Amino acid sequence: MSGRIVGQSVERLEDRALLRGEARFVDDISFPGTWHVAFVRSAHAHALILGVDKTAALEIPGVHAVLTMADLEPHLSDRLLRVALPSPAYRQELHRPVLADTEVVHVGEPIAAVIADSRYIAEDAAALVVVDYDPLPAISDCRDAMAPGAPRAHKNAPHNIAAEFDMGYGDCDAAFAKAAHVFRESYWQHRGVAQSMECRGVIAALEPMSDVLTMWSSTQTPHAGKRVLCGLLGRDEDKLRVITPDVGGGFGPKLVFYPEEAVVALAAQLFGHPIKWIEDRREHFVSTTQERDQHWDMEIAVDAQGRVLGLRGALLHDHGAYTARGVNVAYGSAAAITLPYVIPAYFLDIKLVVTNKVSVTPIRGAGQPQAVFVMERLLDRAARELKIDRAEIRRRNLVSGAQIPYKTPLKTRGGMQVVLDSGDYPACQAAALERAGWEAFHTRKAAALAKGRHIGLGVANYVEGTGRGPFEPVSVRVAENGRIHVASGAAAMGQSTKTMLAQVVAEQLGCDMSNITVVAGDTGAIELGMGGFNSRQAVMAGSSAHAAALKVRQKALHVASHMLQVGEQALEIEGNVVRLKGGDGPQVELAEVAKAVAGLPGYYIPGNVEPGLQATEHVIINDMTYANGTCVVEVKVDADTGLVTVSRVVFAHDCGRVLHPKIVEGQIIGGIAHGLGNALFEWMGFDENAQPVSTTLAEYLLMSSTEMPPPIEILHLESPSPLNELGIKGVGESGVIPMTAAVASAVEDALSPFGVSITKVPLSPPDLIALIHGASQEKRS
Amino acid sequence: MPMLNMRFVLPDHVVDLNRVAELTGIRRAGETIEIGAMTRQRDLEFSQDIADACPLMSEALTHVGHRQTRNRGTIGGSLCHLDPAAELVCVAAALDAVVEVIGPNGRREIPFAEFPAGYMSPAIDYTEIVSRLTFPVWPRETGHAFVEFSRRHGDFAIVSAAAMLLLDGAGRITRAVLALGGVAATPLRMRDVEAALIGQVASIELIGKVAEMCRDVEAVGDVYVPASYRQHLACVMSRRALETALSRAGKSAAAAH
Amino acid sequence: MESVAETRTIDLKVNGKAYSRPVPVRMMLSDFLRHELKLTGTHVGCEHGVCGACTILFDGRSARSCLMLAVQANGHEITTVEGLASGAEMHPLQTALSEHHGLQCGFCTPGMLTTLVELLNDNPSPTAEDVRIAISGNLCRCTGYEGIVAATLEAAGRMRASAGERS
């Protein structure tokens, strides 16, 4: 059901400026008289702050101020950033201070802000700020945090548990008691960094005539940021505006409100100068939130045919030092693990553990990659033990097409029932397997092995909850010059949001993309908004854009029919005119329609409509829509060095109706690259004192072009979601979710002659060599 | 420059040598090839003189960073930075390069074996600069190989191996060189391996055996890579480098006859 | 601290235009281009020479502007992303990147473009492997590089075709 614009790979609205160097990222914004900030950050993972000596720093020419909490506190309503999502699971409050003044709990925590004429001078001075620390023992590994007598990550905390809860349904004890087989295994997925190519940044300026404080921040959630800032600074809503300019990638952490935003905004208010802070890459490693460190101890119960009877265990989630978002990542993991499969009984004990490391909040995938890794590893284990084909054991357990809509016993974090609304999971898996040549692979593998080469094939399924509600507003307005202005609370961080919204609107209003301007992420353009996260914007903002565009369309046709004296049914909108269908007849420009409904003093509005050719919609969709997919990965492993080369990726997926095929594929391929990085390269190391050991991009390895596999083979299945008018499901995180699982499955397959068992990612060459040697020693002994 | 940007080094003065034309250039001088210290990696990469006289270096250069860094990076810079995992450092060790240094007391020459004073520390005074590198030219029929293991294309090597093998008409090894980069704090010449090769009839079996001698090489460990893995790779990379060198030596010798 | 405040006047050409500016001796070339000349198309992603976002053409050769001081540009010619299009007409690489969805957030794009302009000058008929190696020092977190490689091959073909027409 493609339209003329919707469903087509039209040119992106964003491209021209980006390609010509004319885009406006936050560091591209500057004003005369801007002062620059460098933060003094904690050198310790855990310490008491005994004092801060600013004297030497303040003597540097060009330095205007060195701000600590003592300087900020009189101007703030609160010392803390209370941004945690609600949950009954918290066991202690762990809100971040705006600046640390008594205790630091992770390396990189901001303590003071140096404000100077230039960043160079600010950094000179920051190096001269002397912080007197009293170091305390630090928690680096979340497992150690739970040991009896472990030091506390926060000195005065009663324990190291941030939150705990359990999740489950069915009778696990009975399921395990009657099971033919029970397999037990521990799994670990390591912490990573989002590494958007643009780091974070913020510039704030007070406009003295209007007394409006404007903050441009590379945030995914400008409306939420505005709410926090209004509260902290005590400003009225109409005296504060937050704008998300062009953003060089978000990937999750930019949805969080950060201390730096509060400090910069307050400084702009205090000094009357524009104030700018741009995060550098080394700061990104120690101050931007991270994710994925989870330890799972799991048991799976299966019958003799490999049908899953029960799943149970415990999840230890590294929460980092503070609650910067909520229990959502761990909740997302726990709620995702069973989704693709029929699992009669499930129980998970979940503990979120405080460590002296950067806070954990969602990164693309948000807990789901870990859950999929664990589930798929368990199925591979069961398949191996039962000597069932790995794809076959999945087929036996997948929710079938006939079971959809499948009401799971699970609830979302907001208490809504998880209902798998659409899709055909076994068909999706079958499509991927067929394309990948799954059936015949064993002959290729044997032939390669005969030549001393180790190749392997792996498979993983995922189901992803997308389109987190309840709404995302969109306004559509035809200006009096005929130009169509779209504004949304959705925030664009590089995922083509503006193009997506313009497509949906253009489809109803003349099909001319060049006639549409989109403002996304400006609190001055639309009052409410949620922002960009959880693969939600096409679903939520797209639905509102569709509804608003339809309303404007109906109104334009109605008014034009009065102006032209032609029945509405006979009219169409084409380009910038409303005309008789086919174009042979009277017509009126959209601009004229807009002028007509703007009204004239003392005259009727044509058609007797409400003034203004515009509409704002907040389509409410509470239930999430569930996208799914199957990934098959082929690898070759150099058993001498442990080097894994990904030689092929087949990705079959279903995100419902596709609005823009190239954008959807781009999201998937980008997610796959991210997931391959998580599987093979990305390692955010900390030593035993929780000092980070990877703080440059030479140490933290991102996927580069030479490590990518040959072009990824993407298969689209389209089961429209019944939950929204457009039939779409989110896709922004799909690519990343099954990758660690699929790669681990493939590597384990390639190394099956050695009997290697893979239970953690990333898979580094030294670890693989140790596994190969260990396994072969085990075989010998 | 990254060290400056990250404020790891805070020099009082930074002197730009880019405009000193005399420090740049590649010159074949009989059985040696002389390279000015400010000669760019890119110019070495595309130099026919280097390809002819020092193919080991040409091969190593394909692993050095990325085109944007090779366009600016110089051989003198690589050697003075003296990262033990750097490819050109390993080549200099393999070929017994001679480093010419200029200072207030004039010129002096340092054999590369004496050039590293320690981890990333060249044995030159702060008043001196490296001005020129001289590499010996090996006979055309020499088999060479530069192989390395790095996580990604263009990354510093975890372990690199540079090998040169010269055979006589009977296939007996007359000269052999094996150098390892990335294993220890400074590049290593595996002289015991070289000694075990010289005088022997070259074969895959021989190489397999001598490469194992690297198993106990002194290696450094770090948070990413344990020393034991570097020792393991030292064997694997040595074997691969020597095997490739042998295959090329065989071809050269055959072509010569 | 006096030495860091010291300035030198540099003369250079950027995108064909001559500039003469005093600059602090320690200012990075990337900061000079962005904040002094307001050519903000050149992006700064890591400031330690790994990400490639700041790549410019220095006398026609790709270089990382975060690894050079502005004073080193004295007497040299620089091309930044702003200098690639001729007026409204985009460079074939720019057009092809858009067509092949070779950019999403676009932050790495300027560095990709300058690197690829150099590649196609050096090698008008690159293979996919050549392109991958050429951009191996340019990190992109959005695209997985596929669209960039495809776009470069397409642009190379178009540039060969139009060069053939001209000759």
Side-chain angles (χ1 to χ4, degrees):
Chain A
M1 53 184 288
S2 285
R4 280 171 61 190
I5 301 289
V6 166
Q8 309 299 324
S9 291
V10 295
E11 184 184 336
R12 293 200 319 157
L13 290 191
E14 295 87 350
D15 282 351
R16 203 171 165 82
L18 292 170
L19 287 161
R20 298 171 63 91
E22 293 163 355
R24 282 292 166 268
F25 295 92
V26 63
D27 192 28
D28 303 341
I29 300 167
S30 63
F31 303 102
T34 299
W35 289 353
H36 298 263
V37 180
F39 283 92
V40 177
R41 296 181 181 279
S42 174
H44 293 273
H46 194 195
L48 295 180
I49 299 176
L50 303 179
V52 177
D53 185 352
K54 313 171 179 178
T55 320
L58 285 168
E59 282 169 7
I60 304 250
V63 172
H64 301 291
V66 178
L67 302 175
T68 60
M69 181 64 109
D71 304 301
L72 304 183
E73 210 164 351
H75 310 283
L76 294 171
S77 67
D78 198 334
R79 292 168 46 85
L80 303 174
L81 303 177
R82 297 177 196 274
V83 297
L85 293 168
S87 169
Y90 295 115
R91 293 296 170 264
Q92 56 180 311
E93 288 198 347
L94 293 162
H95 305 302
R96 289 162 296 163
V98 175
L99 288 173
D101 62 343
T102 56
E103 183 181 5
V104 282
V105 288
H106 69 83
V107 171
E109 187 173 3
I111 298 167
V114 178
I115 300 180
D117 283 337
S118 76
R119 178 63 175 257
Y120 288 77
I121 295 169
E123 288 188 21
D124 290 341
L128 298 178
V129 173
V130 181
V131 181
D132 187 6
Y133 297 103
D134 179 11
L136 295 169
I139 295 284
S140 181
D141 186 319
C142 65
R143 290 167 298 186
D144 297 341
M146 299 298 291
R152 303 280 185 262
H154 291 249
K155 184 166 182 282
N156 295 322
H159 47 68
N160 289 324
I161 298 174
E164 60 186 329
F165 58 99
D166 54 50
M167 193 181 287
Y169 54 80
D171 187 343
C172 260
D173 289 343
F176 276 80
K178 73 176 180 198
H181 306 275
V182 172
F183 304 111
R184 184 160 210 277
E185 195 72 78
S186 297
Y187 300 98
W188 176 30
Q189 179 155 351
H190 176 66
R191 178 183 273 248
V193 188
Q195 305 291 8
S196 48
M197 293 323 300
E198 179 208 35
C199 293
R200 292 185 295 123
V202 49
I203 177 168
L206 186 67
E207 209 283 297
M209 298 299 284
S210 61
D211 191 35
V212 171
L213 179 66
T214 303
M215 177 176 84
W216 292 260
S217 173
S218 59
T219 178
Q220 298 171 216
T221 57
H223 287 83
K226 176 181 168 175
R227 203 173 302 139
V228 177
L229 269 184
C230 279
L232 277 178
L233 304 181
R235 295 189 80 85
D236 284 343
E237 279 188 22
D238 61 355
K239 295 296 180 192
L240 183 72
R241 180 177 176 192
V242 177
I243 301 174
T244 299
D246 288 320
V247 173
F251 310 114
K254 288 180 182 173
L255 77 84
V256 177
F257 188 87
Y258 285 91
E260 292 90 347
E261 293 175 296
V263 172
V264 168
L266 175 54
Q269 181 177 294
L270 286 178
F271 297 110
H273 274 257
I275 306 284
K276 184 190 244 187
W277 167 75
I278 301 298
E279 181 185 62
D280 70 26
R281 184 59 60 181
R282 295 210 307 146
E283 288 182 290
H284 187 76
F285 277 97
V286 296
S287 66
T288 292
T289 55
Q290 306 177 348
E291 197 213 307
R292 299 234 207 285
D293 229 336
Q294 289 185 346
H295 298 267
W296 297 65
D297 287 311
M298 297 299 291
E299 282 182 301
I300 190 168
V302 295
D303 70 13
Q305 284 75 45
R307 275 186 209 93
V308 179
L309 303 173
L311 180 69
R312 69 182 174 193
L315 162 59
L316 212 54
H317 169 89
D318 179 349
H319 185 68
Y322 290 114
T323 300
R325 182 69 175 171
V327 302
N328 55 324
V329 173
Y331 194 98
S333 300
I337 184 165
T338 61
L339 287 186
Y341 303 106
V342 176
I343 294 182
Y346 167 53
F347 179 83
L348 192 66
D349 170 67
I350 300 130
K351 286 189 171 56
L352 286 71
V353 180
V354 193
T355 58
N356 291 110
K357 297 190 287 193
V358 186
S359 305
V360 168
T361 73
I363 290 181
R364 194 178 205 169
Q368 298 169 102
Q370 299 95 310
V372 169
F373 178 72
V374 171
M375 187 70 221
E376 301 294 309
R377 292 277 70 216
L378 284 166
L379 288 172
D380 276 2
R381 167 82 190 277
R384 189 169 74 226
E385 304 266 4
L386 270 56
K387 302 194 166 41
I388 302 174
D389 176 70
R390 289 170 294 158
E392 174 60 19
I393 199 169
R394 286 168 169 79
R395 196 190 59 76
R396 289 180 193 175
N397 288 291
L398 280 170
V399 173
S400 74
Q403 288 170 293
I404 300 284
Y406 182 71
K407 293 191 173 92
T408 77
L410 294 166
K411 297 255 191 305
T412 68
R413 69 189 187 211
M416 297 97 177
Q417 188 177 14
V418 173
V419 180
L420 306 176
D421 55 297
S422 52
D424 185 338
Y425 307 165
C428 187
Q429 174 173 299
L433 295 175
E434 192 190 344
R435 170 63 77 91
W438 181 272
E439 288 297 328
F441 184 72
H442 63 277
T443 48
R444 282 180 54 213
K445 182 179 165 183
L449 195 58
K451 291 178 189 160
R453 288 202 301 268
H454 298 88
I455 63 173
L457 206 56
V459 61
N461 290 305
Y462 72 91
V463 170
E464 182 204 357
T466 72
R468 175 98 57 198
F471 68 90
E472 189 64 69
V474 173
S475 71
V476 175
R477 177 172 60 89
V478 181
E480 290 182 40
N481 63 357
R483 199 154 176 79
I484 300 166
H485 295 271
V486 180
S488 174
M493 59 267 193
Q495 73 288 52
S496 320
T497 302
K498 292 182 182 179
T499 300
M500 176 274 291
L501 291 171
Q503 277 183 281
V504 171
V505 172
E507 186 69 36
Q508 304 304 331
L509 292 173
C511 290
D512 180 3
M513 291 285 285
S514 69
N515 192 33
I516 297 182
T517 307
V518 181
V519 175
D522 178 353
T523 64
I526 193 157
E527 280 164 23
L528 293 174
M530 301 262 162
F533 49 90
N534 229 153
S535 303
R536 68 184 298 275
Q537 298 201 128
V539 177
M540 301 309 304
S543 294
S544 293
H546 180 64
L550 275 177
K551 269 199 174 167
V552 172
R553 173 188 173 83
Q554 280 153 11
K555 193 169 187 177
L557 293 175
H558 180 70
V559 172
S561 82
H562 280 263
M563 294 170 78
L564 297 171
Q565 298 296 308
V566 177
E568 266 177 60
Q569 310 306 325
L571 293 175
E572 65 179 7
I573 304 175
E574 180 63 31
N576 61 356
V577 299
V578 185
R579 66 183 194 185
L580 201 63
K581 280 182 183 164
D584 287 335
Q587 63 177 50
V588 58
E589 288 189 3
L590 272 177
E592 296 305 317
V593 180
K595 278 180 197 146
V597 294
L600 277 174
Y603 294 85
Y604 290 111
I605 295 173
N608 231 358
V609 295
E610 288 199 358
L613 191 48
Q614 62 194 50
T616 300
E617 287 292 321
H618 312 69
V619 173
I620 292 178
I621 306 171
N622 288 315
D623 291 324
M624 293 179 83
T625 176
Y626 290 83
N628 70 283
T630 304
C631 183
V632 180
V633 166
E634 184 177 330
V635 299
K636 57 182 178 208
V637 183
D638 180 340
D640 282 344
T641 63
L643 183 75
V644 175
T645 306
V646 179
S647 37
R648 192 175 179 200
V649 176
V650 174
F651 199 97
H653 81 112
D654 188 338
C655 68
R657 190 178 178 202
V658 172
L659 296 180
H660 188 299
K662 274 208 188 318
I663 290 176
V664 165
E665 290 185 0
Q667 287 296 315
I668 290 173
I669 298 168
I672 288 172
H674 193 151
L676 290 174
N678 288 155
L680 297 170
F681 291 100
E682 298 184 31
W683 174 263
M684 182 62 217
F686 290 85
D687 71 11
E688 64 276 17
N689 297 315
Q691 284 282 340
V693 296
S694 47
T695 57
T696 72
L697 289 178
E699 294 158 331
Y700 187 92
L701 308 181
L702 294 174
M703 289 293 285
S704 65
S705 52
T706 35
E707 280 58 54
M708 279 298 285
I712 287 155
E713 297 160 63
I714 300 176
L715 309 174
H716 299 283
L717 287 84
E718 280 199 30
S719 317
S721 169
L723 300 179
N724 61 75
E725 285 286 310
L726 295 168
I728 49 185
K729 307 176 231 182
V731 73
E733 297 167 279
S734 297
V736 79
I737 292 174
M739 295 317 295
T740 51
V743 170
S745 180
V747 171
E748 196 173 271
D749 183 42
L751 296 179
S752 61
F754 301 99
V756 160
S757 166
I758 288 167
T759 55
K760 64 170 188 166
V761 280
L763 298 167
S764 78
D767 287 349
L768 280 179
I769 289 300
L771 280 175
I772 291 169
H773 290 176
S776 47
Q777 270 165 17
E778 214 168 88
K779 267 188 181 174
R780 278 200 296 274
S781 62
Chain B
M1 279 302 293
M3 309 284 257
L4 283 179
N5 289 353
M6 293 193 252
R7 294 175 181 247
F8 287 161
V9 292
L10 298 164
D12 290 334
H13 296 91
V14 178
V15 179
D16 183 9
L17 297 177
N18 275 297
R19 282 161 212 278
V20 187
E22 294 80 356
L23 292 178
T24 301
I26 301 163
R27 197 170 72 91
R28 175 80 182 255
E31 290 312 295
T32 63
I33 190 152
E34 297 172 355
I35 304 172
M38 290 298 289
T39 306
R40 298 199 192 282
Q41 292 159 357
R42 180 196 165 83
D43 294 327
L44 296 169
E45 183 184 354
F46 289 97
S47 161
Q48 194 56 49
D49 279 340
I50 296 291
D52 291 342
C54 198
L56 182 71
M57 185 183 294
S58 298
E59 187 165 30
L61 280 160
T62 64
H63 298 280
V64 177
H66 307 284
R67 60 190 298 133
Q68 301 101 332
T69 56
R70 290 197 298 275
N71 280 339
R72 298 294 304 169
T74 64
I75 187 167
S78 292
L79 295 194
C80 288
H81 191 57
L82 208 57
D83 191 309
E87 291 81 2
L88 289 172
V89 170
C90 186
V91 169
L95 292 178
D96 292 317
V98 174
V99 184
E100 184 198 72
V101 170
I102 302 181
N105 301 321
R107 291 167 197 271
R108 65 188 180 104
E109 293 193 332
I110 310 172
F112 190 81
E114 295 165 22
F115 186 68
Y119 176 65
M120 295 181 81
S121 308
I124 60 172
D125 190 73
Y126 73 96
T127 59
E128 294 177 313
I129 61 165
V130 169
S131 50
R132 193 172 64 191
L133 297 312
T134 304
F135 290 83
V137 176
W138 281 49
R140 272 198 173 277
E141 56 271 27
T142 306
H144 72 278
F146 187 94
V147 299
E148 74 170 40
F149 183 81
S150 65
R151 295 297 309 275
R152 299 174 306 177
H153 180 88
D155 282 350
F156 275 114
I158 293 176
V159 170
S160 63
M164 306 273 279
L165 290 176
L166 187 61
L167 311 184
D168 66 13
R172 207 170 287 277
I173 298 168
T174 56
R175 291 173 73 186
V177 157
L178 178 65
L180 294 177
V183 176
T186 58
L188 297 177
R189 270 291 287 278
M190 303 304 294
R191 297 195 190 272
D192 51 346
V193 176
E194 294 168 6
L197 287 165
I198 291 169
Q200 305 293 315
V201 174
S203 70
I204 297 292
E205 294 71 31
L206 173 71
I207 285 170
K209 203 175 76 186
V210 299
E212 276 303 307
M213 294 168 69
C214 300
R215 181 75 55 193
D216 298 322
V217 68
E218 192 182 319
V220 293
D222 55 45
V223 290
Y224 305 98
V225 179
S228 60
Y229 180 68
R230 285 201 165 86
Q231 290 171 322
H232 172 74
L233 276 190
C235 299
V236 174
M237 292 296 119
S238 295
R239 173 165 56 75
R240 290 182 181 178
L242 289 167
E243 282 178 4
T244 303
L246 175 61
S247 70
R248 290 172 177 167
K251 280 173 204 156
S252 303
H257 287 291
Chain C
M1 298 307 290
E2 282 157 28
S3 59
V4 296
E6 209 177 302
T7 62
R8 298 255 203 292
T9 296
I10 60 171
D11 297 291
L12 74 167
K13 254 189 186 176
V14 183
N15 300 329
K17 189 174 166 190
Y19 295 88
S20 181
R21 291 289 171 98
V23 292
V25 289
R26 66 168 168 171
M27 179 174 274
M28 288 191 295
L29 180 56
S30 49
D31 285 344
F32 173 74
L33 293 169
R34 291 178 46 74
H35 303 310
E36 301 296 313
L37 301 188
K38 307 292 180 197
L39 293 169
T40 54
T42 298
H43 296 153
V44 174
C46 75
E47 294 174 285
H48 44 252
V50 181
C51 80
C54 69
T55 302
I56 53 152
L57 295 174
F58 190 86
D59 293 336
R61 291 273 162 232
S62 63
R64 305 221 196 270
S65 61
C66 81
L67 295 187
M68 296 182 68
L69 297 169
V71 289
Q72 290 181 280
N74 188 31
H76 292 275
E77 284 198 30
I78 288 171
T79 304
T80 68
V81 66
E82 289 94 339
L84 298 183
S86 332
E89 193 188 335
M90 297 216 284
H91 189 283
L93 273 166
Q94 291 172 313
T95 312
L97 273 177
S98 180
E99 289 168 2
H100 288 267
H101 201 44
L103 69 160
Q104 289 179 29
C105 82
F107 197 79
C108 72
T109 307
M112 290 283 179
L113 279 166
T114 44
T115 301
L116 290 167
V117 165
E118 182 194 40
L119 171 73
L120 295 189
N121 284 342
D122 286 352
N123 178 3
S125 309
T127 63
E129 185 63 12
D130 293 335
V131 178
R132 282 179 188 244
I133 289 171
I135 58 169
S136 62
N138 295 78
L139 296 175
C140 170
R141 190 59 146 167
C142 295
T143 65
Y145 308 98
E146 244 178 52
I148 301 170
V149 175
T152 306
L153 298 178
E154 170 115 24
R158 286 184 195 160
M159 287 166 72
R160 286 196 305 272
S162 67
E165 280 164 23
R166 278 201 301 274
S167 62

